[in-house]
Amino acid sequence: MSKKFQCPSGMHDIFGERYENFEKVMEVVKRNASIYGFRGIVTPVIEDSGVFTSGIGRSTDIVEKEMYSFKTKRGDNVSLRPEGTAPVMRAYLEHNLYTRPQPIKFFYFSPFFRYERQQAGRYRQFWQFGFEVIGKGSPAIDAQIIIAVFSILGDLGIENVKVKINHIGDEKCRSKFKLALRKYLKEKEASLCEDCKKRTKENPLRTLDCKKCSAKENAPQAANYLCRDCREEFQKVLEFLEEMEIPYEPDPLLVRGLDYYTGVVYEFVSTKESSLLEIGGGGRYNELSVSLGAEEEIPASGVAMGVERVIDLMKKEGKIGKNRENPKVFIAQLGEMAKKKALKLFEEFRKAGLDVAESFGRDSLKSQLGRADKMGVLVTIIIGKEEAIEDKVILRDMESGKQEKVEIKNAIKETRKIIKERKSKSSPSF
Ligand code: AMP
């Protein structure tokens, strides 16, 4: 009898209920990606190994221990991709996407590969969905990525999640923090594992996500080394989250296991299952572009969520939300204060069950209105600097071109009126 083959260990066939759950998550992700203005990207499963060794960092667990790397017949060193951000940045640079209007907003839903130790919730092939905003960085963008994830989780019926968040500083304040951390680790050398002893010299931040030694408990915290700009940036992200009522918890020891992070970093965890591994994470990665060959830093921010772990939560507590229609409303804004109000209004519309789109990454009103037009929405809401101060918005009926200023608190009611009018005009009369 010939040999009976099995799926490689740590990998799974996806069919039946598992497949249906995958499809549900994919649908909700696509739907939200379009609402928040992200377009899809698919990169190859294999990349030049350098994309990861330079991008994620040589002394990370992923690169040091978990990559499936091999030589091609021609002798090129390649790896199965262990994550999605570095390949997306590689594609952004390769295709000169910086010459297009910024930022570029991509989402992906793809399989990834890490040679992990076998344990619950850790697979060797797993799926992630992710959002990347490249070419522009701001606290509003960081916050909005987190808000988009909460929107997806909400649509999947997952409510018991919070985001743990920290700020690891820019290059300058991080180097001061590294110095202090190295000093502390040297004093603790005897209690460090072999990896961390090595990492103290090469990359001390990586010792903070070591699962073997507990040296990090009293370690210096990045937050104490932030410069004024970084502190303000962190504060702004937290303010956005507060405003949107996103449950967050500052975690001064959070650094994330990839070297490309700079600035805000965060992880999503279930508030119900204390033992559960995190379901996703992300942050700012302004320096990745340089590691991948760009001449200067390109501001960027992104998140990656583990699909299997999202499905686990969905099965435990989720009920699938309704499929929403194409957005009928677009919110455009001009200026910092307006952006804040627009973000809040955006979520109020969503909560009221009205599908709404935006383009908060873009600052030019013209390009925002162009997008609204392309999407064929019925109503565009404009919050300019003046309106933000007056607590008002401009409602533009896209068909007639008529505009009126209304109180922000009446925006939903007045928008509904216009949509109802349009619907009754477009329904056939018998
Ligand atoms: P990372 O790219 O390491 O930040 O991981 C982001 C998310 O992907 C994690 O929070 C997990 O949900 C998921 N993930 C990472 N590694 C694995 C794995 N080996 N098996 C299953 N899910 C994973």
Side-chain angles (χ1 to χ4, degrees):
M1 216 168 65
S2 47
K3 184 181 168 193
K4 225 171 152 190
F5 293 101
Q6 283 183 336
C7 198
S9 70
M11 303 195 180
H12 297 275
D13 298 313
I14 301 171
F15 60 93
E17 195 194 329
R18 201 180 175 96
Y19 184 85
E20 275 130 37
N21 285 331
F22 254 77
E23 247 189 343
K24 277 174 200 160
V25 177
M26 205 183 293
E27 267 167 30
V28 169
V29 169
K30 272 195 192 159
R31 173 88 209 120
N32 277 276
S34 133
I35 290 175
Y36 287 90
F38 290 83
R39 299 178 75 186
I41 183 165
V42 179
T43 59
V45 169
I46 292 174
E47 292 275 350
D48 185 317
S49 300
V51 170
F52 305 112
T53 49
S54 310
I56 303 174
R58 276 178 202 281
S59 51
T60 57
D61 269 354
I62 297 179
V63 169
E64 231 171 24
K65 301 177 189 158
E66 296 168 1
M67 282 223 290
Y68 284 88
S69 298
F70 53 96
K71 265 196 186 352
T72 63
K73 286 186 179 165
R74 223 183 61 171
D76 299 332
N77 291 314
V78 294
S79 299
L80 292 182
R81 60 177 174 206
E83 63 93 56
T85 303
V88 171
M89 180 57 92
R90 193 265 309 136
Y92 173 93
L93 296 173
E94 180 174 343
H95 303 292
N96 303 334
L97 298 185
Y98 42 81
T99 56
R100 302 200 183 168
Q102 301 295 300
I104 301 286
K105 294 170 83 175
F106 278 134
F107 83 96
Y108 59 80
F109 196 108
S110 317
F112 295 93
F113 306 85
R114 294 184 195 172
Y115 195 79
E116 296 252 26
R117 259 187 326 118
Q118 299 270 39
Q119 52 179 305
R122 285 195 190 279
Y123 310 113
R124 290 181 176 167
Q125 175 173 335
F126 57 96
W127 289 65
Q128 285 183 340
F129 65 83
F131 295 117
E132 314 289 354
V133 180
I134 310 181
K136 199 150 196 218
S138 74
I141 292 177
D142 297 325
Q144 208 199 13
I145 293 173
I146 298 175
I147 292 164
V149 168
F150 269 90
S151 166
I152 289 171
L153 297 177
D155 284 357
L156 293 169
I158 301 170
E159 282 163 0
N160 300 298
V161 170
K162 68 177 171 194
V163 60
K164 295 209 276 179
I165 188 161
N166 195 16
H167 194 298
I168 57 171
D170 59 17
E171 207 184 342
K172 268 199 210 137
C173 27
R174 215 169 42 257
S175 60
K176 283 190 207 142
F177 169 52
K178 273 186 187 171
L179 221 66
L181 187 56
R182 209 170 260 141
K183 189 164 166 257
Y184 166 85
L185 291 167
K186 284 223 170 101
E187 284 162 15
K188 297 268 167 191
E189 196 168 1
S191 62
L192 299 181
C193 70
E194 285 312 307
D195 278 343
C196 284
K197 277 183 193 157
K198 212 169 84 192
R199 287 171 179 172
T200 301
K201 273 190 235 129
E202 288 168 7
N203 191 348
L205 249 64
R206 293 283 70 81
T207 60
L208 296 180
D209 39 48
C210 173
K211 284 152 200 119
K212 279 189 257 164
C213 41
S214 54
K216 65 178 178 183
E217 262 136 47
N218 300 310
Q221 301 179 352
N224 296 332
Y225 295 84
L226 297 184
C227 62
R228 214 176 83 192
D229 284 356
C230 286
R231 258 203 317 265
E232 270 176 26
E233 186 184 72
F234 191 28
Q235 197 50 42
K236 271 192 192 156
V237 176
L238 298 183
E239 274 168 24
F240 276 123
L241 298 183
E242 231 149 73
E243 199 129 342
M244 305 315 302
E245 293 169 25
I246 298 287
Y248 75 84
E249 182 186 299
D251 179 347
L253 290 175
L254 184 74
V255 288
R256 314 247 325 115
L258 305 103
D259 273 0
Y260 52 62
Y261 286 113
T262 51
V264 173
V265 289
Y266 48 83
E267 276 178 5
F268 296 86
V269 292
S270 166
T271 50
K272 264 198 161 169
E273 308 275 319
S274 56
S275 64
L276 200 86
L277 301 156
E278 91 278 349
I279 54 171
R284 192 70 86 79
Y285 54 94
N286 295 353
E287 291 160 25
L288 177 60
S289 53
V290 176
S291 312
L292 295 182
E295 277 172 17
E296 46 190 71
E297 277 185 17
I298 297 175
S301 194
V303 71
M305 303 294 295
V307 175
E308 285 85 354
R309 295 191 197 168
V310 167
I311 289 176
D312 274 353
L313 276 189
M314 189 174 93
K315 288 205 302 213
K316 279 187 191 130
E317 57 169 295
K319 38 210 175 301
I320 298 302
K322 61 186 167 74
N323 272 342
R324 293 196 253 118
E325 294 173 15
N326 275 338
K328 297 196 174 51
V329 184
F330 189 94
I331 300 184
Q333 42 67 38
L334 196 64
E336 255 321 287
M337 189 174 170
K339 193 173 277 186
K340 229 179 200 175
K341 299 219 161 163
L343 259 167
K344 186 145 197 225
L345 191 62
F346 182 87
E347 291 305 315
E348 280 169 11
F349 266 83
R350 276 181 29 80
K351 281 185 189 147
L354 268 169
D355 287 305
V356 55
E358 53 72 38
S359 191
F360 292 142
R362 297 177 196 212
D363 284 339
S364 131
L365 196 55
K366 196 169 157 220
S367 82
Q368 293 180 61
L369 295 180
R371 207 170 110 75
D373 209 32
K374 246 195 217 157
M375 291 181 89
V377 294
L378 301 179
V379 181
T380 297
I381 293 174
I382 304 164
I383 313 181
K385 289 179 186 147
E386 195 182 302
E387 289 75 29
I389 294 167
E390 296 170 347
D391 257 338
K392 291 190 174 160
V393 300
I394 295 170
L395 289 194
R396 184 206 287 247
D397 179 333
M398 295 298 274
E399 196 181 284
S400 66
K402 263 201 258 162
Q403 291 195 170
E404 63 170 326
K405 224 183 222 191
V406 302
E407 300 280 339
I408 203 164
K409 62 177 191 293
N410 295 329
I412 295 181
K413 193 173 78 192
E414 296 301 324
T415 304
R416 276 210 164 103
K417 265 195 216 157
I418 302 178
I419 293 176
K420 203 166 158 201
E421 230 171 76
R422 290 282 154 257
K423 271 193 179 158
S424 65
K425 268 195 196 161
S426 61
S427 53
S429 49
F430 294 100

